């Protein structure tokens, strides 16, 4: 609908002989070079440097805590410390990630130093953010939280194994394989018929845009934008289940 509206706008503009510069922005996932490269110049946002992340966080804190000077300074001090920690610095490559990290330090003070707790809190914060948005996906997330967690963890484990086997850090799941993963989980939870079909379609469509941390940065391929989150989810998958099952997995990984 958006593309059609833009095309219609250009028709109207041509009839008026207007001098117009058009600028359009989009997320990378789901974009299939719909604006012809020979007609439009494409520019891409680079990951934020620490200096730019700090600048963005300062402007955001000024707006969010406009009448709370002491709290603003305290939150920014905690944010500065987070910028010096390698584990948290990697989670601040985009304005959205900086916004989430600032929210996290505002709620907790300094981000946790333990990697598991840090990524757990980060995941929970993102999940809550998605739940509070006025979008249809929020209902899906609210009603199927265990399924969404399981899908993230299983996808993380599959991608982590694949990345290490191939010696690549940029593994993705083909859309067909992701669909199979989703369907297998939902069937196991005894969803059937039209309900099953609707849920599978809803989760796959959500991942095309953004399903908490799962995205489709390339056409027909699903993965994680942040490698550290992929690793965290893989670890969560390994540690789920009975003590005996977990011990067997760890023993096999350790080669003992």
């Amino acid at each position: 609908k958006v593309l059609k509206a833009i095309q219609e706008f250009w028709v109207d503009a041509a009839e008026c002989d207007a001098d117009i510069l058009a600028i359009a922005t989009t997320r990378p996932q789901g974009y299939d070079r719909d604006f012809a490269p020979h007609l439009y110049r494409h520019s891409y946002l680079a990951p934020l440097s620490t200096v730019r992340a700090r600048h963005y966080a300062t402007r955001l804190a000024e707006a969010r805590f406009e009448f709370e000077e002491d709290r603003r300074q305290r939150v920014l001090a905690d944010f500065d410390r987070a910028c010096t920690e390698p584990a948290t610095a990697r989670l601040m490559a985009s304005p959205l990630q900086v916004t989430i990290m600032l929210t996290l330090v505002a709620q907790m003070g300094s981000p946790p130093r333990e990697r598991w707790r840090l990524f757990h809190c980060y995941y929970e914060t993102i999940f809550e953010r998605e739940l509070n948005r006025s979008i249809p996906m929020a209902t899906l997330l609210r009603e199927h939280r265990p399924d969404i967690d399981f899908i993230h963890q299983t996808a993380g484990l599959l991608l982590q194994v694949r990345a290490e086997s191939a010696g690549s850090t940029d593994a993705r799941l083909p859309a067909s394989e992701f669909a199979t993963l989703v369907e297998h989980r939902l069937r196991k939870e005894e969803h059937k018929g039209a309900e099953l079909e609707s849920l599978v379609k809803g989760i796959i469509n959500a991942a095309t845009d953004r399903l908490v941390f799962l995205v489709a940065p390339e056409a027909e391929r699903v993965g994680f934008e942040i490698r550290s989150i992929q690793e965290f989810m893989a670890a969560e998958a390994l540690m789920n289940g009975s003590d005996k099952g977990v011990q067997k997995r760890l023993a096999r990984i350790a080669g003992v």
Side-chain angles (χ1 to χ4, degrees):
K1 290 181 179 180
V2 173
L3 289 169
K4 183 179 179 182
I6 292 172
Q7 292 165 359
E8 291 174 350
F9 170 78
W10 278 122
V11 172
D12 294 340
E15 291 177 354
C16 298
D17 193 27
D19 182 14
I20 293 175
L21 171 68
I23 299 176
T25 64
T26 180
R27 289 177 174 176
Q29 55 269 25
Y31 177 67
D32 193 26
R33 300 181 75 81
D34 303 282
F35 295 101
H38 68 282
L39 295 177
Y40 294 88
R41 177 184 298 169
H42 285 63
S43 298
Y44 300 88
L45 291 179
L48 293 176
S49 65
T50 301
V51 172
R52 289 184 179 275
R54 176 62 167 77
H55 175 72
Y56 180 82
T58 300
R59 296 290 300 275
L60 179 60
E62 288 171 351
R64 184 171 289 182
F65 309 113
E66 182 178 3
F67 304 109
E68 303 176 76
E69 174 68 22
D70 290 344
R71 188 181 183 194
R72 180 168 73 247
Q73 294 303 325
R74 187 167 60 252
V75 168
L76 286 174
D78 290 333
F79 184 87
D80 283 345
R81 282 193 289 274
C83 288
T84 65
E85 296 284 343
T88 47
R90 287 197 295 270
L91 301 179
M92 293 185 278
S94 73
L96 174 61
Q97 292 171 6
V98 172
T99 301
I100 293 163
M101 184 58 68
L102 190 78
T103 301
L104 195 59
V105 298
Q107 292 174 350
M108 304 180 61
S110 297
R113 290 182 177 272
E114 303 88 353
R115 286 175 63 84
W116 179 87
R117 187 161 175 259
L118 168 66
F119 292 120
H120 175 74
C121 292
Y122 194 66
Y123 177 69
E124 292 294 321
T125 301
I126 298 277
F127 208 105
E128 287 298 319
R129 171 184 175 273
E130 297 296 289
L131 285 178
N132 292 325
R133 295 173 65 193
S134 299
I135 54 175
M137 189 178 70
T139 302
L140 186 150
L141 295 176
R142 188 174 296 108
E143 295 179 353
H144 299 279
R145 172 67 187 264
D147 300 321
I148 302 302
D149 291 344
F150 178 88
I151 290 166
H152 272 75
Q153 293 163 10
T154 305
L157 183 58
L158 287 172
L159 289 169
Q160 191 67 12
V161 170
R162 196 159 300 174
E164 295 197 3
S165 299
S168 168
T169 61
D170 194 32
R172 308 288 185 200
L173 284 178
S176 58
E177 188 175 351
F178 180 70
T180 300
L181 186 164
V182 173
E183 183 175 349
H184 177 75
R185 166 63 183 186
L186 295 175
R187 284 188 183 279
K188 189 175 180 180
E189 293 301 304
E190 301 184 351
H191 296 284
K192 301 176 182 178
E195 181 198 23
L196 172 66
E197 186 178 338
S198 176
L199 280 175
V200 170
K201 184 177 180 180
I203 291 175
I204 292 172
N205 287 343
T208 301
D209 187 21
R210 178 186 296 275
L211 180 66
V212 190
F213 276 115
L214 284 167
V215 297
E218 308 164 25
E220 299 298 313
R221 293 168 69 81
V222 177
F224 291 86
E225 282 185 312
I226 305 172
R227 175 62 187 267
S228 299
I229 296 295
Q230 176 182 304
E231 295 169 353
F232 167 73
M233 290 299 171
E236 289 285 272
L238 286 173
M239 298 304 291
N240 278 340
S242 66
D243 289 347
K244 186 175 181 180
V246 171
Q247 289 170 1
K248 288 178 67 176
R249 289 184 208 134
L250 295 180
R252 183 169 183 177
I253 291 170
V256 297

